[in-house]
């Protein structure tokens, strides 16, 4: 039972354009959401997060939007850079469940120069 | 401030052998999580430990797998009598304490069972 879904296995964008990565979840108990970036042969690196009491969080080129009614969140990267090429994982947690993270399968983002 | 350390980075075991994976959390972090990533999959939670205590092992297989986080030393994930299906990347993450929102991940141990 996939509680966090990233339906696009891959995404390709041109340098300078916007990258939009999507994530859907089914568990209404999730109250905190995170995006991690992962390069091959490395561990995931925390990127940005959002609490369920907010609908937007911005950090530099990265913005995460949360639509609770649709159980959907998205990560916007603008402008995209070749160094952003990596696998992006969406993760969610329920504060009442020991803070363990539930991950999606990831989206491979390729930013072309 | 050193990040989360995991060793070995790569581990090859024959079927039936034991695998021991080590994780040293970031300095000042007392909470450790283990996750497993199978090929083409996302990371899946296995176990959550604090010093000398297993808090949540709901994601860990009931047999052959065990974890500990002693008062001194790294956290250890132990897999006995490994099988080919145990081949995966095993990631450890740490956080400062309950309620901290971000978990910081180590580079992972890639276990290959031949």
């Amino acid at each position: 039972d996939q509680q966090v879904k990233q339906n696009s296995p891959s995404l390709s964008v041109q340098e300078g354009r916007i990258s939009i990565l999507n994530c859907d979840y089914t568990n209404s108990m999730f109250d905190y959401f995170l995006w991690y970036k992962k390069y091959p042969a490395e561990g995931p690196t925390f990127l940005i997060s959002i609490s369920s009491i907010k609908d937007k969080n911005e950090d530099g080129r990265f913005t995460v939007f949360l639509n609770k009614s649709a159980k959907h969140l998205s990560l916007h990267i603008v402008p995209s850079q070749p160094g952003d090429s990596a696998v992006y994982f969406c993760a969610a947690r329920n504060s009442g469940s020991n803070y363990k993270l539930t991950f999606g399968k990831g989206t491979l983002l390729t930013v072309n120069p | 401030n050193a990040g989360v350390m995991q060793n070995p980075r790569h581990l090859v075991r024959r079927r039936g052998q034991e695998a021991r994976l080590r994780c040293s959390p970031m300095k000042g972090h007392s909470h450790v999580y283990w996750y497993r990533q199978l090929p083409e999959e996302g990371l899946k939670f296995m176990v959550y430990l604090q010093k000398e205590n297993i808090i949540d092992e709901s994601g860990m297989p009931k047999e052959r797998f065990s974890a500990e986080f002693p008062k001194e030393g790294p956290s250890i994930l132990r897999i006995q009598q490994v099988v080919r299906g145990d081949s995966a990347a095993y990631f450890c993450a740490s956080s400062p304490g309950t309620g901290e929102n971000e978990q910081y991940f180590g580079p992972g141990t890639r276990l290959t069972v031949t």
Side-chain angles (χ1 to χ4, degrees):
Chain A
D1 178 28
Q2 194 80 16
Q3 296 187 63
V4 177
K5 298 178 184 178
Q6 293 178 256
N7 291 320
S8 297
S10 62
L11 174 68
S12 184
V13 300
Q14 283 300 119
E15 181 178 4
R17 298 287 182 98
I18 185 170
S19 296
I20 300 177
L21 296 100
N22 293 303
C23 177
D24 297 292
Y25 62 96
T26 58
N27 188 341
S28 57
M29 298 298 291
F30 287 145
D31 58 8
Y32 200 80
F33 305 88
L34 307 90
W35 285 93
Y36 283 85
K37 175 180 176 180
K38 186 181 180 302
Y39 293 116
E42 293 184 13
T45 302
F46 169 74
L47 204 55
I48 192 168
S49 60
I50 187 166
S51 164
S52 60
I53 62 173
K54 295 185 176 181
D55 55 19
K56 178 183 174 181
N57 188 26
E58 192 172 350
D59 183 1
R61 297 186 297 115
F62 303 92
T63 304
V64 55
F65 296 92
L66 174 62
N67 182 334
K68 280 183 63 179
S69 60
K71 293 191 177 69
H72 176 83
L73 62 155
S74 60
L75 174 67
H76 292 212
I77 306 173
V78 56
S80 302
Q81 299 172 354
D84 295 329
S85 298
V87 176
Y88 288 78
F89 289 100
C90 172
R93 72 133 212 250
N94 167 13
S95 300
S97 186
N98 288 322
Y99 303 96
K100 60 192 177 192
L101 297 176
T102 301
F103 283 83
K105 289 189 178 184
T107 296
L108 173 62
L109 172 66
T110 303
V111 180
N112 301 302
Chain B
N1 187 12
V4 178
M5 310 284 283
Q6 287 188 252
N7 67 82
R9 293 292 308 274
H10 300 274
L11 182 62
V12 179
R13 285 287 178 266
R14 290 203 176 106
R15 278 179 297 170
Q17 290 185 320
E18 178 180 289
R20 281 186 177 236
L21 289 64
R22 293 174 186 76
C23 168
S24 297
M26 286 178 71
K27 189 175 181 181
H29 288 196
S30 58
H31 296 240
V32 166
Y33 300 78
W34 285 93
Y35 294 84
R36 176 166 68 174
Q37 184 183 23
L38 295 169
E40 311 300 326
E41 295 286 326
L43 283 74
K44 296 255 190 311
F45 168 79
M46 298 183 74
V47 61
Y48 164 40
L49 310 104
Q50 295 176 22
K51 284 285 185 181
E52 300 185 277
N53 286 304
I54 296 175
I55 307 302
D56 183 345
E57 56 183 349
S58 59
M60 202 145 73
K62 295 283 187 285
E63 296 179 356
R64 302 188 298 108
F65 285 73
S66 62
E68 62 176 12
F69 189 16
K71 188 176 179 182
E72 301 291 337
S75 175
I76 306 283
L77 179 67
R78 183 180 175 208
I79 312 172
Q80 293 179 291
Q81 299 174 334
V82 296
V83 301
R84 287 228 171 98
D86 296 332
S87 296
Y90 291 82
F91 292 98
C92 162
S94 72
S95 68
T98 302
E100 293 296 325
N101 294 320
E102 286 80 48
Q103 295 176 16
Y104 298 86
F105 282 82
T109 293
R110 274 137 194 91
L111 172 66
T112 302
V113 179
T114 62

